Amino acid sequence: MTPQTPRTPRTPQTSRTPQQLLERARRLAASGDRRVLGIAGPPGAGKTTLAEYLVGELGPGQAVLVPMDGFHLADIELRRLGLTGRKGAPETFDPYGYTALLRRLRAARRGEPVYAPGFDRELEQPIAGSIPIPPEVPLVVTEGNYLLLDDGPWAEARKLLDESWWVELDDDERVRRLIARHERFGKEAAEAERFVLDSDEANARRVAPGRAAADLVITFGPGQAPLPDPARSGLDPA
């Protein structure tokens, strides 16, 4: 399967209900060939929650989740590069490895499973070869902040998506969830707030232009969410 040509700018559609999103993903899975659905958005918008919902509802024979976070550079490399304080920024990932994986996933070959890296939130480290993708699974759902970032090697990743969705959440609620997530994984309250406002929000501003490139924009305001609050459900609101 050859990568799609770059799309022309347009006004993306907006959808709000989980069932509508599930049906759209189901149509992709039923299209005949391997398809890759990318879910992008700012930190804390609910990308992981939505991706896990879709894959869980479609079932293991129909879809598999491959998070971009598996391509985080390990802490030992971040220290070597002097990027420990920027962990989570685009330069702290391996975009070339990620795009190489997307190419392999698009060109599924009979009898050849692909193994993708995952990311352990408890360890805050990538885990190599932890996600098997059988060749017969028709839909790969991948999610991350930088899927639609038009910057250097990331621009190649966006060309390898059959469809892209942008998830956004009311900013106050999104920041609240991010702080809660960092506290849940070990940061003190003040440290969590400082990291969110200094680092996560800088990354949110950096990815914001990607909204215009999405095929579908999913917008939620105060008191709205596509699924239960991840901070309460145990899911990660990435």
Side-chain angles (χ1 to χ4, degrees), residues 37-62:
L37 166 62
I39 301 177
K47 300 179 298 295
T48 301
T49 305
L50 176 57
E52 289 182 345
Y53 164 75
L54 295 173
V55 171
E57 290 295 310
L58 290 171
Q62 291 296 302

Side-chain angles (χ1 to χ4, degrees), residues 10 13 25 28 35 39 48-49 55 59 62 64 66 77 80 86 102 160 163 167 173 182 196 203 207 213 218 233:
R10 71 217 172 287
Q13 297 174 312
L28 271 177
R35 293 287 185 262
I39 301 177
T48 301
T49 305
V55 171
Q62 291 296 302
V64 65
V66 177
E77 178 64 1
R80 187 186 74 82
R86 293 288 297 129
L102 291 182
L160 296 167
E163 190 163 304
V167 180
E173 175 69 2
H182 286 298
V196 168
N203 296 334
V207 302
I218 305 156
S233 67

Side-chain angles (χ1 to χ4, degrees), residues 32-112:
D33 294 320
R34 165 67 60 77
R35 293 287 185 262
V36 180
L37 166 62
I39 301 177
K47 300 179 298 295
T48 301
T49 305
L50 176 57
E52 289 182 345
Y53 164 75
L54 295 173
V55 171
E57 290 295 310
L58 290 171
Q62 291 296 302
V64 65
L65 174 57
V66 177
M68 186 202 75
D69 277 356
F71 288 88
H72 263 287
L73 298 181
D75 282 355
I76 189 171
E77 178 64 1
L78 294 180
R79 286 193 292 271
R80 187 186 74 82
L81 295 170
L83 291 173
T84 304
R86 293 288 297 129
K87 188 170 183 175
E91 58 270 26
T92 66
F93 287 81
D94 174 17
Y96 298 104
Y98 179 62
T99 53
L101 176 67
L102 291 182
R103 291 190 192 96
R104 284 190 68 195
L105 292 173
R106 289 182 60 87
R109 299 175 62 175
R110 183 175 300 176
E112 293 186 11

